Amino acid sequence: MKHQFDVIIVGAGLAGLRAAIELGEDTNVAVLSKVFATRSHSGAAQGGIGAALGNEEEDNWEWHMFDTVKGSDYLGDQDAIEILARDAPRTIYELEHLGVPFNRTPEGKIAQRAFGGHTRNFGEAPVKRACFAADRTGRVILDTLWEKCLQRGIRIFDEFQLMSLLVSEGQCHGVIAYELATGQLHTLHSKAVLLATGGYGKVYKTTSNAFASTGDGLAIAFRAGAPLEDMEFVQFHPTGIYKLGILISEAARGEGGVLRNNEGKRFMELYAPVIKDLAPRDMVSRCILEEVRAGRGIDGKDYVHLDLTHLGEEVLNTKLAEITGFARTYSGVEPIKEPIPVQPTCHYMMGGIATDADGKVITDSEGTPFPGLYAAGECACVSVHGANRLGCNSLLDILVFGRRAGKEMRRYIHTVGLSPLPANPEKEVADKISALMESNGNEKGGPIREELQEVMMDKVSVFRQRSGLIEALEKVRELKGRYQKIAIQDMGSCFNRDLLDAIELDYMLEHVGSG
Ligand SMILES: Cc1cc2nc3c(=O)[nH]c(=O)nc-3n(C[C@H](O)[C@H](O)[C@H](O)COP(=O)(O)OP(=O)(O)OC[C@H]3O[C@@H](n4cnc5c(N)ncnc54)[C@H](O)[C@@H]3O)c2cc1C
C-alpha cells in the first residue's frame, strides 16, 4: 500500500511529537510508531526537565551550560549546549502553555528540585533546576503533546514498524513500514524523513529502558550510509532496582535520599564532598561499584542501599509516589521504613546518528548533510551530552532539538521536489521477511539476544578493559554468524512478535558491532 506525505516522522516519543507539532500547522506530516504512541519510552521519564527558571533560588542559563559542559566530561559540543541551556526556559513555558500540569510552588510558580550535577555559580552547591510533575514528568508531557497532535489532525500510524529507508541518488525520500496488525508492507513516500526512534538500552541485561528500545533507527540509518557518533558513551544510572534495573529516579536523591553501604555509611560524602549523592551519574555509578569491589556491598553482594526513610511519608507518597510504588511492587520493601536495594542500570545512550543543531543528519566532519534525512531525540547525537548526560537534560534535548528539526524540515521541503519511487520499493524488505520465515536454520533469536545482553553487561558496562572489549567484539561477531541461521516459529501475519523480535535482534547486533 502506498501513501504520500511531505514529511514522515518515525517515533512518537517527545522528539517525534514535538517535531510533528512544529510542522503540523501547514505541512502534510505523518508519525509512525511501532508501539502505540503514548507507550513510547518518553512516558516513563520520572524525575524532571531541566531549565534555569530560578523559581526556587537564583539560577541562570550560563550555570546550566557550564554544568552540562562539565557533566559531559568536556566532550559535548559547546555551541549546541549553549542552544540547549538558553532555549530551556522558553521550552518550559511553551509546555506550560500547552497545558502540562507541572508541580507548583506555594506562590503558584513552576516548582523545581535538585538533580545530579546541576549547580549554582559554576559548581559551588546543588541548585533546584528540575521542573517536574511528581515523578511522572515524561508521562504528562507525552500525553499533552499527543493530544495536541490529535487536535491538529496529524496522522499517527500506531503499531507500524520502520523496516528501511528509501534512498536514491543519496537522497532520502521515504520509508518502508510493516503493519503489526496485518503483516502488510507500506510505502510511505515523502520529501523528508525524521528518525526519532529513541535509545537502545535493551542490548544490556540490566536496563531501565522499555522493550521497544532496541535502536532500530540507528542500525537502519547506518545501513543507509549515515555515520554513528560517540557509540562508546553509554550511561549507567546509579539507582536501578537490584536485579531488575527498573529505575528509581534521581529525584529520590534530589529530594534528599542518600546512598549507604553495608556499614550504613553515606559513602558519597567521601567521593564528592560538596555535591555528595547529587554528583553526576557516571561518578555515582563508579562509586557504587568501587564500594562493592571493596567488599562494602550489602550482604557482600553487588548492590547498595538507597535510603529515603528520613524524607517522611508525605514526600514519598506525593512527590515520589511512582517510584515508591515500584519499590513496594518489585523489591518488596516499604520505602517509608526500609532502604531500597539498588545497583547501576543501563539507562541512556549519549551516542547516535550524527546530526547538526538543526537535526540534519551529517555524513562527515565537515558537516555534509544527508539530503532528506533528519534525526532527533535519543537516537541522535547532536552532541549535547558528550560522554555523560546530566539528569533532566534529555527531555530538554529532545524537545529543543525536536522543534529545531521540525523547523528545518519545514524549510527544506519547499526547496525540493518529490523524487520518483523505484519500480518495486518494498521488494528488498519483502525478500528479507520471506527469507526469515522460510529459514530452516537451527538457531533461535531468544538465546542469541540473551547472550548478547550478558556479554554487554559483563564486558561493556561501567568499567571496561581492552581485553574485555575484544572478547565482547568476538562474541558479537560469533552471534552475528549464528543469527544467519535463525528460524521463525510463528508463521502468522497478525502481531508476529517472533518475526519482529528477530528483526530487532538484527539491528541490535548491527549497531553494537559498529561501535
Ligand atoms: C525510566 C526512564 C526514566 C527517565 N527519566 C528521565 C527524566 O526524568 N528526565 C530526562 O530528561 N530524561 C529521562 N529519561 C530519558 C528520556 O526519557 C529519554 O531519553 C527520552 O524520552 C527519549 O525520547 P525519544 O523521543 O528520543 O524516544 P522514545 O520516547 O524512546 O520513543 C521512541 C519512539 O520510536 C518508535 N520506534 C522505535 N523504533 C521504531 C521502528 N523500527 N519503527 C517505528 N517506530 C519505532 C517507538 O515506537 C517510540 O514511539 C528517562 C529514561 C528512562 C528509560
Side-chain angles (χ1 to χ4, degrees):
M1 196 179 285
K2 294 199 175 48
H3 314 260
Q4 194 175 305
F5 294 92
D6 291 327
V7 177
I8 309 288
I9 294 176
V10 188
L14 293 184
L17 295 188
R18 183 61 192 84
I21 289 172
E22 199 59 29
L23 287 156
E25 292 277 344
D26 52 9
T27 309
N28 189 12
V29 53
V31 179
L32 232 77
S33 173
K34 68 178 179 180
V35 298
F36 187 80
T38 55
R39 297 189 71 94
S40 302
H41 189 62
S42 292
Q46 302 170 351
I49 171 166
L53 302 183
N55 282 357
E56 304 261 1
E57 53 190 330
E58 190 189 351
D59 198 3
N60 67 56
W61 71 264
E62 280 106 331
W63 297 347
H64 188 181
M65 176 175 172
F66 171 84
D67 292 337
T68 306
V69 171
K70 187 174 178 205
S72 80
D73 296 330
Y74 296 92
L75 290 171
D77 176 327
Q78 300 196 5
D79 295 331
I81 295 175
E82 179 174 346
I83 294 173
L84 180 86
R86 280 193 124 141
D87 202 28
R90 190 203 55 75
T91 303
I92 300 299
Y93 296 132
E94 180 180 85
L95 293 174
E96 183 186 38
H97 296 167
L98 288 174
V100 171
F102 285 114
N103 273 42
R104 299 280 162 178
T105 64
E107 323 80 86
K109 293 181 184 166
I110 293 173
Q112 298 189 276
R113 63 180 162 210
F115 241 78
H118 290 278
T119 69
R120 75 171 146 75
N121 209 12
F122 309 109
E124 219 170 71
V127 73
K128 293 182 177 173
R129 188 175 289 148
C131 309
F132 61 97
D135 51 359
R136 302 185 183 98
T137 313
R139 172 86 275 137
V140 298
I141 304 176
L142 186 63
D143 287 352
T144 306
L145 295 196
W146 178 70
E147 283 169 10
K148 200 77 201 162
C149 286
L150 297 188
Q151 191 189 37
R152 295 209 172 163
I154 291 166
R155 177 88 189 265
I156 302 184
F157 290 86
D158 285 307
E159 297 173 337
F160 272 65
Q161 183 142 345
L162 168 73
M163 302 297 278
S164 76
L165 295 171
L166 284 171
V167 178
S168 43
E169 293 174 7
Q171 185 167 345
C172 182
H173 58 100
V175 305
I176 305 296
Y178 175 96
E179 185 178 358
L180 271 68
T182 61
Q184 195 178 7
L185 288 180
H186 293 251
T187 301
L188 292 103
H189 191 196
S190 65
K191 293 181 179 173
V193 173
L194 173 75
L195 294 173
T197 51
Y200 60 97
K202 274 289 158 189
V203 299
Y204 286 88
K205 187 175 165 191
T206 307
T207 177
S208 67
N209 281 199
F211 278 86
S213 302
T214 48
D216 311 358
L218 279 83
I220 291 171
F222 185 64
R223 284 180 178 162
L228 303 180
E229 184 179 349
D230 288 352
M231 292 297 282
E232 67 277 34
F233 298 148
V234 173
Q235 176 166 83
F236 278 74
H237 192 295
T239 58
I241 291 183
Y242 177 50
K243 284 191 176 161
L244 297 175
I246 296 170
L247 192 72
I248 298 292
S249 168
E250 204 166 273
R253 281 170 287 133
E255 295 290 349
V258 296
L259 291 162
R260 298 190 190 279
N261 61 19
N262 67 347
E263 295 158 4
K265 197 167 184 153
R266 187 180 176 187
F267 58 86
M268 281 310 299
E269 283 179 338
L270 305 172
Y271 296 97
V274 178
I275 46 179
K276 301 176 187 159
D277 299 84
L278 287 175
R281 293 173 177 175
D282 54 343
M283 193 170 169
V284 182
S285 290
R286 283 196 299 272
C287 297
I288 291 177
L289 293 183
E290 274 173 27
E291 288 294 299
V292 167
R293 282 180 171 188
R296 293 191 290 271
I298 309 296
D299 294 335
K301 298 202 180 116
D302 54 346
Y303 70 95
V304 294
H305 275 149
L306 175 62
D307 184 3
L308 310 180
T309 52
H310 52 290
L311 300 186
E313 201 166 336
E314 194 187 329
V315 169
L316 294 187
N317 287 340
T318 54
K319 288 183 164 172
L320 300 172
E322 190 96 347
I323 57 160
T324 42
F326 290 164
R328 285 179 195 120
T329 307
Y330 299 108
S331 306
V333 300
E334 173 45 71
I336 296 168
K337 297 193 193 122
E338 304 160 87
I340 308 170
V342 291
Q343 68 181 165
T345 181
C346 171
H347 184 58
Y348 182 84
M349 303 303 173
M350 273 70 69
I353 304 162
T355 70
D356 68 6
D358 292 315
K360 290 203 279 290
V361 171
I362 51 175
T363 53
D364 56 29
S365 54
E366 311 293 306
T368 310
F370 190 132
L373 188 59
Y374 295 78
E378 193 173 335
C379 72
C381 180
V382 182
S383 99
V384 281
H385 310 299
N388 175 58
R389 170 174 77 79
L390 291 189
C392 291
N393 267 356
S394 173
L395 293 185
L396 181 61
D397 159 11
I398 64 188
L399 291 166
V400 166
F401 293 101
R403 170 175 174 266
R404 291 175 68 95
K407 270 190 186 311
E408 175 54 28
M409 288 189 292
R410 182 192 232 163
R411 187 200 62 76
Y412 172 80
I413 56 172
H414 295 296
T415 66
V416 289
L418 201 61
S419 320
L421 281 176
N424 187 355
E426 289 156 17
K427 182 173 183 317
E428 206 177 307
V429 174
D431 288 349
K432 184 176 162 184
I433 292 176
S434 308
L436 274 170
M437 302 281 272
E438 286 157 19
S439 157
N440 49 16
N442 54 1
E443 292 281 356
K444 287 191 182 156
I448 298 182
R449 185 172 48 250
E450 273 166 31
E451 285 177 47
L452 172 69
Q453 290 168 332
E454 258 163 40
V455 76
M456 291 298 289
M457 203 68 210
D458 285 351
K459 312 282 182 205
V460 200
S461 63
V462 176
F463 290 107
R464 303 170 189 187
Q465 277 164 343
R466 185 179 150 77
S467 56
L469 292 176
I470 292 172
E471 269 177 61
L473 191 57
E474 278 166 9
K475 181 76 185 174
V476 171
R477 288 188 179 134
E478 176 212 313
L479 295 175
K480 275 185 163 180
R482 282 170 50 195
Y483 181 87
Q484 301 309 317
K485 290 182 241 132
I486 66 169
I488 306 292
Q489 268 75 50
D490 183 350
M491 291 296 132
S493 52
C494 175
F495 288 96
N496 188 340
R497 277 304 338 158
D498 195 15
L499 173 69
L500 294 169
D501 286 350
I503 288 170
E504 289 173 351
L505 175 60
D506 178 31
Y507 300 144
M508 292 201 279
L509 290 166
E510 175 77 45
H511 51 69
V512 162
S514 76

